[in-house]
Every structure is written in structure tokens, then in C-alpha cells.
Amino acid sequence: GENVEQHPSTLSVQEGDSAVIKCTYSDSASNYFPWYKQELGKGPQLIIDIRSNVGEKKDQRIAVTLNKTAKHFSLHITETQPEDSAVYFCAASVRPGNQFYFGTGTSLTVIP
Amino acid sequence: SAVISQKPSRDICQRGTSLTIQCQVDSQVTMMFWYRQQPGQSLTLIATANQGSEATYESGFVIDKFPISRPNLTFSTLTVSNMSPEDSSIYLCSVEGLRGIGHGYTFGSGTRLTVV
């Protein structure tokens, strides 16, 4: 089955700096890659996703890049703010709605 | 936008008892999923629940321990049976497609279970 690895496990950045979280996957059939943000005491919330026919997708301060050849994808958050502090999970699946395989999570702390 | 309501939000239970977690969606969905998130860990799929059929369990999870009901297209329950401290986790329900077809999962807010 699919194996998703996520790095780093913890990340601290100064407010206004950029944060990058990286994930690798093993199954070349995976073609849908969502990112979730989980705040304390809440369920994960989808923040951005990308499909394999696209190399990059951006939504305001958040962007995701995908390298299918290398089987890795990354989340980029620019101009970080304290409210970006949360745990971020990457995931991979063969298609949206199919079983998702989640990374182990990155705890992001934005220092004011 | 569509909403998932999950309850209870948290509970502290005695060893050997059972807890039923409810998940209500405000629109009809075909598939509902139950996940477990152990402290500081990632999300692990327990089972997939389709309306009108038995749930499909992932490796390591069995129906006797985690019975699931799916009586209609907007509701599901997960029971954690004969609990032990190792069952202390966050349990999450989720559905696909609430943000539109092909837009992945939407999660409930979770049930934080502590077994003492």
C-alpha cells in the first residue's frame, strides 16, 4: 500500500517568514494530494489540494507543488501569521474519495 | 457550506464500558469514514460505512470492537466496545465531496475519548 512520509515533524518560524513542509509518497498510482490543517481541539480542515496533472497550485498565502517523477509534494506558507500555528497533515490517494494515506503531521508554530 | 456534527465532543469512560459516537451530516452522502487519531499521531482509517451495507474495516480493526451503524445517508455511529486505556484517542468521522465532487474529505470536530 501507499506510504506517505512527512518532514519536519515540528517547525518554528518567525511571523512574516515562510514555512515549507515536505511529503513523499511511494505509490505511483496516487494522483490526488490534499493538505489539512488541524487546530487544537478541532478536526482537520482541508486547506488546499492538488492533482497529478498540475505542478503547482496557489491560494493566497498558501501554495502546493508536486513533483510526480520524484514522488514528492510540498506545502508553502508565505508571510506566516500566528493563526497559522497548527498541525498540518499531507495525504495521498488514488482519487478523491478513495482511501487517504496521511503523513505523520507537522506541528507549525509561528512566533509573533 | 455543509456541516458535520459529531458528539460527544469528549468523554471520560471506565475500562470495560462502551461508548457510541454519533456523526450527523446536513446533506446526503454515500460514504462515511471513521478515523482514529492517537495522541500526537496521524490519522488511521478504521472503517468505511456505506448506507445499506456492512461497514468495511481496515486491517487491525474488527467489527466486534468497533461496530458501526449507517441507518441512512446523513447519519452514522461508531461504538468503541469493551474499552481499555489503549483506546484513548480522538475519533473522527468524515465524508467526501461536501465541498464539491472530487474535493476530498470533510472532517467532523472529533470525539476526544479518555479511558481510565
Side-chain angles (χ1 to χ4, degrees):
Chain A
E2 176 66 281
N3 180 42
V4 178
E5 296 190 354
Q6 183 172 346
H7 300 281
S9 58
T10 60
L11 179 61
S12 292
V13 299
Q14 292 289 331
E15 181 177 359
D17 288 350
S18 295
V20 180
I21 303 170
K22 299 182 179 181
C23 288
T24 61
Y25 62 100
S26 61
D27 190 347
S28 58
S30 291
N31 57 17
Y32 176 66
F33 307 93
W35 285 89
Y36 288 85
K37 175 184 180 182
Q38 186 175 27
E39 297 175 316
L40 195 62
K42 298 182 178 179
Q45 300 293 316
L46 178 69
I47 57 172
I48 196 167
D49 56 10
I50 191 168
R51 288 171 176 73
S52 60
N53 59 344
V54 176
E56 182 174 0
K57 184 176 179 181
K58 189 172 182 180
D59 182 3
Q60 300 183 342
R61 297 186 296 107
I62 295 174
V64 57
T65 59
L66 171 65
N67 184 327
K68 279 219 73 177
T69 302
K71 297 200 197 70
H72 66 71
F73 56 113
S74 300
L75 178 71
H76 304 252
I77 306 174
T78 59
E79 301 173 22
T80 53
Q81 302 168 2
E83 50 266 37
D84 294 328
S85 296
V87 178
Y88 291 81
F89 291 97
C90 63
S93 77
V94 173
R95 67 169 179 84
N98 225 21
Q99 180 174 349
F100 282 21
Y101 296 88
F102 285 87
T104 48
T106 296
S107 178
L108 172 65
T109 301
V110 179
I111 303 166
Chain B
S1 61
V3 173
I4 301 178
S5 301
Q6 190 173 335
K7 59 181 181 181
S9 59
R10 60 177 63 232
D11 208 342
I12 301 173
C13 300
Q14 294 292 323
R15 182 195 301 254
T17 63
S18 298
L19 175 72
T20 296
I21 302 167
Q22 299 180 8
C23 184
Q24 177 76 52
V25 187
D26 69 356
S27 61
Q28 294 184 339
V29 293
T30 303
M31 298 171 74
M32 297 180 74
F33 306 88
W34 287 98
Y35 278 84
R36 182 174 71 183
Q37 186 178 22
Q38 294 178 302
Q41 302 296 314
S42 188
L43 293 85
T44 301
L45 181 65
I46 297 172
T48 302
N50 290 335
Q51 193 269 334
S53 63
E54 283 199 6
T56 302
Y57 289 83
E58 297 301 309
S59 176
F61 298 96
V62 296
I63 187 172
D64 289 346
K65 176 66 175 177
F66 297 101
I68 288 172
S69 77
R70 184 78 203 276
N72 56 52
L73 291 174
T74 63
F75 187 78
S76 179
T77 67
L78 169 75
T79 299
V80 186
S81 303
N82 188 25
M83 289 184 284
S84 66
E86 293 72 35
D87 294 320
S88 297
S89 288
I90 299 172
Y91 293 85
L92 296 146
C93 67
S94 68
V95 303
E96 65 162 321
L98 283 187
R99 293 162 59 95
I101 298 298
H103 283 273
Y105 286 166
T106 299
F107 284 88
S109 55
T111 297
R112 184 178 296 271
L113 170 63
T114 302
V115 183
V116 297

